[in-house]
Amino acid sequence: IEGEAARMGLLVDDLLLLDRLDQHRPLEREIVDVVPIVRDAVADAHAVAPHRAIRAETTAGTPPLVIGDEARLRQVVGNLMSNALTHTPDTAAITVRLDVRAEADRSWVLLEVCDNGPGLTPADAARVFERFYRVETSRSRANGGSGLGLSIAAGIVAAHEGTIEVETAEGNGATFRVRLPLALMTGTDETGPDDEEPAPSSPAPTPATAPATG
């Protein structure tokens, strides 16, 4: 009973978050470095599955900074890692890749969570971000979650004006790819002392005239 109550509590929390995302309620907006998020997610995964081959690869020459809600972005990476850990065998390796790429007229922080597990069928891949959807062969209540983790990740990414997709083939693993707009640190909102208008000068005081003495 206690375990079921805890599971229901998590389910309610997930549903409340989805409702918040559906209503487009504002998230925190600050400059977030994605590197510590990836590093911590990999460390957490190692703690959960110390015998799994899990690694991070960062090839970004530009700092991977985004404007958004750090706690929610951590939830995105955590959900993707949990999905890979839960729905692949213990022998499957997991790699998290982080890069910054310019595409068309915009630069993006590119985050990929890749595994060499069994992959997804085209039908499953088309529905994997749907709420409560679980692949029948692996997403059961015994070894899976509520089927909301990937839909929550998709909702958070959309709220950050990003995109999420899956590239997979049955028997050839899966790559979940997240694109988030790169924060451009132009400094145009900062005003230095040289940019300030000089204060108007006050007229010089008129010297007082000393009284004449006889």
Side-chain angles (χ1 to χ4, degrees):
I1 294 174
E2 183 179 355
E4 189 68 10
R7 190 187 70 80
M8 290 300 296
L10 293 174
L11 176 60
V12 170
D13 290 343
D14 287 346
L15 290 172
L16 288 174
L17 174 56
L18 284 170
D19 181 65
R20 179 185 178 91
L21 294 171
D22 286 343
Q23 296 183 33
H24 304 289
R25 296 182 186 177
L27 301 175
E28 296 291 332
R29 292 186 61 81
E30 59 183 354
I31 298 295
V32 179
D33 187 350
V34 185
V35 171
I37 295 178
V38 169
R39 183 185 60 230
D40 293 346
V42 170
D44 291 344
H46 274 299
V48 172
H51 303 297
R52 293 286 293 264
I54 306 169
R55 63 175 182 168
E57 296 178 356
T58 302
T59 57
T62 302
L65 305 178
V66 301
I67 298 177
D69 189 320
E70 180 176 350
R72 295 307 181 197
L73 292 173
R74 286 182 177 273
Q75 190 171 5
V76 169
V77 183
N79 285 5
L80 293 177
M81 291 296 291
S82 177
N83 179 74
L85 288 171
T86 302
H87 305 304
T88 60
D90 292 341
T91 55
I94 301 173
T95 303
V96 185
R97 299 192 183 111
L98 186 61
D99 196 4
V100 173
R101 294 184 186 175
E103 299 180 1
D105 59 345
R106 198 165 194 178
S107 294
W108 301 88
V109 173
L110 182 65
L111 171 72
E112 296 180 334
V113 177
C114 314
D115 67 70
N116 59 358
L120 299 169
T121 66
D124 288 331
R127 300 186 59 191
V128 74
F129 295 109
E130 293 181 9
R131 297 176 187 183
F132 298 108
Y133 183 75
R134 292 178 296 189
V135 178
E136 291 298 329
T137 56
S138 63
R139 295 173 183 254
S140 66
R141 293 190 184 276
N143 67 353
S146 62
L148 292 175
L150 292 179
S151 60
I152 287 175
I156 295 173
V157 170
H160 285 81
E161 300 181 359
T163 63
I164 186 171
E165 61 187 9
V166 61
E167 180 180 320
T168 184
E170 197 170 5
N172 290 321
T175 296
F176 286 85
R177 184 174 297 112
V178 174
R179 288 183 179 87
L180 296 168
L182 178 69
L184 300 178
M185 306 298 290
T186 60
T188 54
D189 294 332
E190 298 178 1
T191 302
D194 295 338
D195 298 327
E196 297 177 356
E197 294 184 3
S201 57
S202 301
T206 303
T209 304
T213 57

